[in-house]
Amino acid sequence: MPTDPPLPHPPATRYGPGFATQGTRHRKPKNGLVIAGFLVGLAALGVAFVPLAGIAAWPLAVIGVTLSVIGLVKIKKGEADKKGMGVAGLALSIAALLAAGGLLVYTNFFATGESGLHIPAVASDKNRVEFVVSASGGATVRYGSLNDQRTETTPASTDEWHGTASFNSGDYLLTVTADTRNSSVSNQIACSILVNGRKVAENKGQTIALCTANTG
C-alpha cells in the first residue's frame, strides 16, 4: 500500500525564542510614567528649600509619588521596564515631602526668639512690620526691636518715611523713635507701627515721637 511522502521540514529560520515573526525581538514598552515621576520628584525636591516657591513642592511631590507608584505597578505586571528609575522617582518625591514638611515645622515652631526678627523684611516670613514716620523738618529715626535697632535719617519732606521688618513667630517689643535734626525749625513729628497692615501703635510730638508695641 503506497504511503504518503513525508512532509517537508519547515524552512530554517534565524529567529529563535523571543523573536517575533517579523524578525524583531519582543521588548517591554518603555515606562513613561516612571520617567515623568522621576522628573517631577526631582523638581519637587529642588524647590522644597526655596522660599515662597517651596509651597509648590507639596503638589509636585504628590504627583511624583502617584506617577512612580503606578509605573512600578506596571513593571511588576511585566508591562513596562525602568524599575530603577521608578524607585528613584519615588524616593525623590518622598524626600521632597519630608523636606517641605520639615521646613514647615521649623518655620512655625522653631524660628522664634529675638534672632527671628528680620530687618529689613524678608519676603518669606509670615508677619510683616512697618514703621512709619512723618517729619516735615527731617528726623533721625531709630527702629526695630528693643535689642536690635537700625538708624536712618529722613530728609525734610512732607512724604512719610517707611521702614520694614518681618518675623515668623515669637514675641518682640517693637519700637520706633524719631527726633528732629534741626532744632531751629518747628518740626511736628508723628510715628506709627503696623503689623500685617493693622496699626498697633502711634504717637506724635513737637521735636520727638516714640512708638512701642508688643507682638505677643
Side-chain angles (χ1 to χ4, degrees):
M1 175 181 242
T3 59
D4 294 333
L7 294 174
H9 292 290
T13 175
R14 63 187 180 88
Y15 306 126
F19 285 90
T21 55
Q22 291 82 5
T24 57
R25 184 182 295 274
H26 289 294
R27 292 184 178 179
K28 296 177 182 178
K30 294 191 180 298
N31 199 337
L33 288 173
V34 297
I35 296 174
F38 176 84
L39 294 176
V40 173
L42 186 64
L45 187 60
V47 302
F49 300 98
V50 179
L52 294 182
I55 193 172
W58 291 96
L60 286 175
V62 171
I63 293 172
V65 168
T66 303
L67 293 174
S68 298
V69 168
I70 295 175
L72 288 171
V73 170
K74 290 185 64 177
I75 292 171
K76 188 174 182 179
K77 293 179 179 180
E79 299 175 356
D81 57 3
K82 298 188 179 297
K83 181 177 180 180
M85 183 171 286
V87 173
L90 183 61
L92 286 171
S93 300
I94 293 174
L97 284 173
L98 293 175
L103 186 62
L104 181 65
V105 170
Y106 173 80
T107 298
N108 284 278
F109 297 101
F110 296 102
T112 60
E114 198 67 32
S115 61
L117 184 71
H118 302 124
I119 307 173
V122 175
S124 59
D125 284 351
K126 295 191 303 180
N127 302 293
R128 183 180 176 88
V129 179
E130 189 171 10
F131 304 92
V132 183
V133 171
S134 62
S136 58
T140 299
V141 180
R142 299 172 183 84
Y143 68 101
S145 66
L146 187 63
N147 298 327
D148 187 6
Q149 295 272 314
R150 302 291 188 275
T151 301
E152 292 189 22
T153 57
T154 67
S157 174
T158 56
D159 295 333
E160 292 181 337
W161 172 91
H162 292 260
T164 63
S166 64
F167 63 96
N168 286 309
S169 59
D171 187 4
Y172 309 100
L173 179 60
L174 305 173
T175 176
V176 56
T177 304
D179 58 81
T180 185
R181 294 191 297 113
N182 189 346
S183 58
S184 63
V185 176
S186 178
N187 190 10
Q188 185 73 24
I189 300 177
C191 66
S192 59
I193 300 175
L194 294 85
V195 177
N196 297 326
R198 183 175 66 90
K199 187 177 291 186
V200 294
E202 63 179 337
N203 198 0
K204 60 183 178 180
Q206 188 64 34
T207 58
I208 187 171
L210 169 64
C211 292
T212 61
N214 198 305
T215 61

